[in-house]
């Protein structure tokens, strides 16, 4: 009984008190740091790999897909490790301090200005969609093209990505698992997730505003990417480390960890969990088009505004700033979606007073799917941003900026809702099986989301490239450097590529939103009934634990 007293005394009892302001603010540092890293990767990595590391758009997509083989092992393994972890700080919290520096190093390695171009190349064959379509009516036939990829740079990118995601996962899975541990009550949890992600979403805006100005401050953009990655790795890592000291896990975890095989049986036996896994898989599509935002600003918007004249004006006023489409328009577009992201998360608790999580998820998905298609039609046919008339093109750009604010609502809402719904599932599984499985539940959520991103990322990158992106990029970057590129050249020769990029930014999101809504019709969960049952379960569990502690203390004193 002395051992029991020692072990029991070291464990945290269930604490149903509301989260303190300090805890919510400390918890907010986590999504800030992680979202900062995610947005650096999402906004900048494909551009760096495709245009500066020499592996092309398809090669960049292939890097992500190849590394998912490791993620299929790494995510469940990390979930198993988390569920077996027993420390005086809890099961998830220690990883915030243990893994933050390795994650920072992994981020920097992704943007290292390496050059293995002398190691040879390999060709990636694919259908040239634009040329193939042109053969319709004239002995239609499929035309294929090859894209040369630097072998050494490709395998370096794969290795760096594996290092990064191994350590990113080692923080991300524990972070997700902390939600139900730090905020045990469902209503408080949703509020805390919403507030923490509102503050944390500054991490979605900051890279968009600052990252590329740092990059283009250097004559060699490759060095600029490297320096910017160091800045943002530090900027993300410090808040993650600080958050460790401001939060505490409140739910008591049994000292004996569960076997992994039993974990799998428990998880996949739960019908709601299976529905949620499919929803998380298709949710990966909804914001996948955002990775084309930088390409959209760089090429689709080229020449709409007179940047050469603006730069001359700045120079005349002794301002040593050089503005570009990607340096100014990309932040503007990102800020619009970032503000939308924060506002959408802020209204989730209010909307949940009107309907349950499942209903909100489905309604939000279908409404915003329609909105994305409407935006595509407006900016393609009513106010075409590709119009030769600059006034119409500028109106089209402004319209897209304004509409993007509304069409990005599901991004923020999905973060809060999916995290809250998965957290509910953790509680229900504990009530049914007696086992806390944050690590396993959230690792499978992360895994299917990453697999979805990898699979669909490769497909959409290949599709856009098949319309001629690599040829366009090589040609136009040379003209840009020589100062001879005009908007007319772009519109007359590369419209299929520009239209494909815009399609991915708009209609692709609609497809993802519809698909993510469908599995939720199979999700059966009565939230009102659940609240009463889980409260009674926790009270019984705490009473049982208190009785064990009292008995152990009495035995020790005797």
């Amino acid at each position: 009984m002395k051992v029991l007293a020692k072990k029991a005394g070291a464990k945290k009892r269930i604490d149903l008190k509301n989260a303190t302001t300090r805890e919510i603010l400390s918890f907010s540092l986590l999504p800030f740091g992680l979202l900062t890293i995610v947005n650096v990767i999402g906004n900048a990595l494909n551009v760096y790999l495709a245009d500066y590391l020499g592996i092309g758009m398809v090669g960049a997509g292939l890097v992500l897909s190849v590394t998912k083989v490791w993620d299929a092992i790494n995510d469940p393994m990390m979930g198993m490790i988390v569920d077996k972890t027993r420390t005086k700080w809890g099961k998830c919290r220690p990883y915030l301090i243990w893994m933050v520096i390795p994650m920072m190093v992994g981020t920097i390695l992704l943007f290292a200005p390496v050059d293995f171009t002398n190691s040879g190349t390999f060709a990636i064959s694919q259908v040239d969609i634009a040329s193939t379509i042109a053969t319709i009516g004239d002995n239609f036939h499929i035309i294929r093209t090859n894209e040369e990829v630097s072998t050494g740079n490709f395998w370096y990118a794969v290795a760096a990505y594996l290092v990064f995601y191994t350590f990113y996962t080692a923080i991300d899975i524990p972070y997700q698992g902390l939600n139900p541990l730090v905020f045990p009550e469902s209503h408080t949890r949703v509020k805390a997730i919403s507030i923490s992600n509102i503050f944390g979403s500054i991490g979605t805006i900051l890279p968009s505003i600052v990252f590329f100005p740092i990059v283009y401050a250097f004559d060699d953009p490759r060095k600029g990417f490297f320096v910017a990655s160091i800045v943002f790795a530090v900027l993300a890592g410090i808040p993650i480390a600080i958050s460790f000291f401001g939060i505490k896990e409140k739910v008591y975890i049994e000292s004996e960890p569960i076997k992994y095989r039993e974990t799998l049986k428990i998880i996949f036996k739960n019908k709601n969990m299976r529905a949620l896994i499919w929803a998380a898989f298709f949710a990966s599509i909804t914001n996948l088009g955002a990775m084309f935002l930088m390409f959209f600003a760089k090429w689709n918007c080229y020449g709409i505004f007179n940047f050469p004249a603006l730069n001359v004006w700045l120079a005349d006023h002794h301002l040593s700033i050089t503005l570009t489409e990607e340096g100014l328009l990309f932040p503007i577009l990102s800020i619009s979606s970032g503000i939308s992201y924060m506002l959408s998360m802020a209204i989730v608790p209010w909307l949940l007073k009107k309907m349950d999580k499942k209903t909100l998820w489905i309604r939000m998905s279908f409404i915003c799917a329609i909105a994305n298609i409407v935006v595509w039609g407006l900016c393609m046919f009513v106010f075409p941003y590709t119009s030769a008339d600059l006034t119409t093109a500028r109106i089209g750009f402004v319209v897209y900026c304004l509409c993007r604010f509304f069409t990005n609502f599901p991004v923020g809402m999905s973060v809060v809702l999916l995290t809250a719904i998965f957290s509910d599932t953790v509680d229900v599984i504990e009530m049914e099986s007696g086992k806390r499985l944050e690590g396993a539940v959230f690792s499978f959520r992360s895994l299917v989301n990453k697999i979805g991103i990898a699979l669909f990322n490769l497909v959409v990158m290949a599709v856009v490239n098949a319309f001629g992106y690599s040829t366009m990029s090589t040609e136009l970057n040379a003209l840009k450097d020589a100062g001879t590129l005009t908007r007319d050249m772009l519109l007359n020769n590369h419209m299929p590529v520009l239209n494909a990029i815009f399609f991915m930014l708009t209609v692709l999101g609609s497809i993802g939103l519809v698909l993510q809504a469908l599995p939720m019709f199979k999700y059966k969960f009565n939230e009102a009934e659940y609240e009463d049952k889980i409260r009674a379960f926790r009270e019984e569990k705490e009473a049982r634990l208190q009785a064990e502690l009292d008995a152990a203390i009495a035995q020790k004193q005797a």
Side-chain angles (χ1 to χ4, degrees):
M1 294 299 290
K2 290 183 179 179
V3 175
L4 173 62
K6 183 177 179 181
K7 287 185 176 180
K11 297 302 175 186
K12 233 356 180 177
R13 289 176 50 191
I14 299 174
D15 182 359
L16 299 182
K17 293 187 297 183
N18 290 333
T20 63
T21 301
R22 177 189 173 187
E23 277 187 303
I24 294 177
L25 292 177
S26 297
F27 195 76
S28 300
L29 295 175
L30 277 170
F32 170 82
L34 291 171
L35 287 171
T36 296
I37 293 295
V38 166
N39 278 271
V40 165
I41 302 299
N43 293 334
L45 186 61
N46 279 328
V47 176
Y48 180 69
L49 297 180
D51 290 354
Y52 296 99
L53 203 62
I55 66 174
M57 185 169 274
V58 177
L62 194 58
V63 166
L64 187 60
S65 297
V66 169
T67 56
K68 291 309 109 178
V69 176
W70 168 240
D71 267 342
I73 302 170
N74 185 39
D75 278 47
M77 182 176 68
M78 191 63 215
M80 178 178 63
I81 292 172
V82 166
D83 283 333
K84 288 181 177 293
T85 300
R86 301 290 186 270
T87 74
K88 63 181 180 180
W89 299 306
K91 63 186 290 189
C92 293
R93 184 172 157 233
Y95 293 97
L96 306 182
I97 202 78
W98 290 346
M99 295 297 169
V100 65
I101 292 179
M103 186 197 71
M104 292 164 62
V105 172
T107 303
I108 295 167
L109 288 176
L110 279 172
F111 294 94
V114 299
D115 192 358
F116 298 102
T117 54
N118 293 327
S119 62
T121 60
F122 66 93
I124 298 177
S125 176
Q126 62 176 345
V127 175
D128 185 332
I129 294 179
S131 299
T132 299
I133 292 174
T135 66
I136 295 176
D138 183 22
N139 297 321
F140 174 77
H141 58 284
I142 303 297
I143 297 177
R144 302 190 70 84
T145 184
N146 288 330
E147 181 177 1
E148 295 295 320
V149 176
S150 168
T151 302
N153 286 357
F154 173 82
W155 288 114
Y156 173 83
V158 168
Y161 213 85
L162 288 174
V163 171
F164 164 75
Y165 252 115
T166 296
F167 294 115
Y168 175 82
T169 297
I171 293 181
D172 185 46
I173 301 300
Y175 155 64
Q176 294 183 61
L178 278 168
N179 284 296
L181 291 171
V182 178
F183 311 110
E185 286 188 307
S186 180
H187 292 302
T188 304
R189 179 188 303 154
V190 172
K191 179 181 177 182
I193 293 171
S194 177
I195 293 173
S196 65
N197 276 281
I198 290 170
F199 285 104
S201 61
I202 297 172
T204 68
I205 300 176
L206 201 59
S208 305
I209 299 174
V210 181
F211 190 90
F212 285 101
I214 293 175
V215 170
Y216 296 115
F218 290 79
D219 293 333
D220 182 357
R222 287 159 58 90
K223 293 181 180 178
F225 274 100
F226 185 58
V227 172
S229 70
I230 294 173
V231 171
F232 276 89
V234 174
L235 189 64
I238 291 175
I240 291 173
I242 293 174
S243 68
F244 168 85
F245 300 98
I247 58 177
K248 290 183 179 180
E249 297 183 16
K250 299 185 177 69
V251 177
Y252 165 74
I253 307 298
E254 290 80 358
S255 58
E256 187 65 30
I258 186 173
K259 293 182 179 179
Y260 192 62
R261 184 179 298 179
E262 186 181 351
T263 296
L264 295 180
K265 289 181 181 179
I266 292 172
I267 285 178
F268 288 103
K269 186 179 178 181
N270 188 287
K271 293 181 180 179
N272 284 341
M273 183 66 184
R274 295 200 296 270
L276 289 176
I277 285 175
W278 280 110
F281 176 73
F282 290 121
S284 64
I285 308 176
T286 58
N287 199 39
L288 195 61
M291 69 181 178
F292 289 100
L293 194 61
M294 181 62 182
F295 296 103
F296 177 80
K298 184 176 182 180
W299 300 123
N300 294 52
C301 298
Y302 186 84
I304 291 180
F305 300 98
N306 194 343
F307 279 97
L310 183 57
N311 287 325
V312 169
W313 183 87
L314 290 172
D316 290 342
H317 288 77
H318 308 290
L319 297 173
S320 57
I321 303 173
T322 301
L323 297 178
T324 62
E325 281 78 7
E326 58 266 43
L328 181 60
L329 300 186
F330 174 69
I332 290 174
L333 290 164
S334 298
I335 290 171
S336 173
S337 56
I339 294 173
S340 167
Y341 185 83
M342 288 190 284
L343 181 59
S344 65
M345 288 187 293
I347 65 174
V348 168
W350 178 77
L351 290 172
L352 289 178
K353 294 178 181 179
K354 312 292 182 181
M355 65 193 83
D356 61 20
K357 301 182 188 78
K358 171 185 173 178
T359 303
L360 178 57
W361 177 272
I362 293 173
R363 290 182 182 178
M364 171 268 295
S365 297
F366 283 117
I367 291 171
C368 292
I370 295 170
N372 269 290
I373 294 175
V374 170
V375 171
W376 176 78
L378 280 174
C379 295
M380 286 292 293
F381 305 109
V382 181
F383 303 107
Y385 70 91
T386 52
S387 173
D389 178 61
L390 288 179
T391 300
T392 302
R394 288 165 183 166
I395 292 174
F397 174 81
V398 172
V399 168
Y400 179 59
C401 280
L402 295 175
C403 290
R404 187 172 172 79
F405 173 82
F406 296 102
T407 57
N408 269 268
F409 259 61
V411 179
M413 295 176 73
S414 294
V415 170
V416 177
L417 286 174
L418 207 55
T419 301
I421 293 172
F422 268 94
S423 296
D424 289 345
T425 303
V426 170
D427 288 338
V428 172
I429 288 175
E430 182 192 17
M431 189 167 57
E432 293 175 349
S433 67
K435 306 295 182 182
R436 292 291 300 189
L437 300 176
E438 285 89 357
V441 168
F442 284 103
S443 69
F444 278 103
R445 172 199 169 178
S446 178
L447 175 61
V448 297
N449 187 259
K450 288 178 184 176
I451 290 174
I453 290 174
L455 176 62
F456 298 120
N457 180 75
L458 178 60
V459 171
V460 299
M461 294 282 275
V463 168
V464 172
N465 200 64
F467 275 98
Y469 179 83
S470 291
T471 302
M472 181 190 80
S473 177
T474 302
E475 174 190 331
L476 298 188
N477 274 319
L479 292 173
K480 221 176 172 186
D481 292 340
T484 57
L485 177 62
T486 65
R487 179 168 172 79
D488 288 340
M489 291 180 187
L490 194 63
L491 299 180
N492 293 335
N493 299 303
H494 301 288
M495 278 300 296
V497 186
L498 303 182
N499 289 337
I501 289 173
F502 190 62
F503 180 91
M504 297 306 174
L505 274 172
T506 51
V507 180
L508 179 65
S510 294
I511 296 171
L513 286 164
V514 171
L515 290 175
Q516 77 172 21
L518 297 180
M520 293 303 289
F521 286 102
K522 294 287 186 180
Y523 180 77
K524 307 298 181 183
F525 184 69
N526 187 318
E527 290 191 13
E529 181 182 347
Y530 151 80
E531 286 291 341
D532 293 335
K533 285 185 177 180
I534 198 68
R535 186 179 295 108
F537 170 78
R538 284 182 179 144
E539 289 173 354
E540 180 185 347
K541 186 176 180 180
E542 177 159 353
R544 187 175 68 252
L545 175 61
Q546 186 63 55
E548 291 178 3
L549 289 171
D550 292 343
I553 293 171
Q555 182 68 27
K556 183 179 179 181
Q557 291 174 346

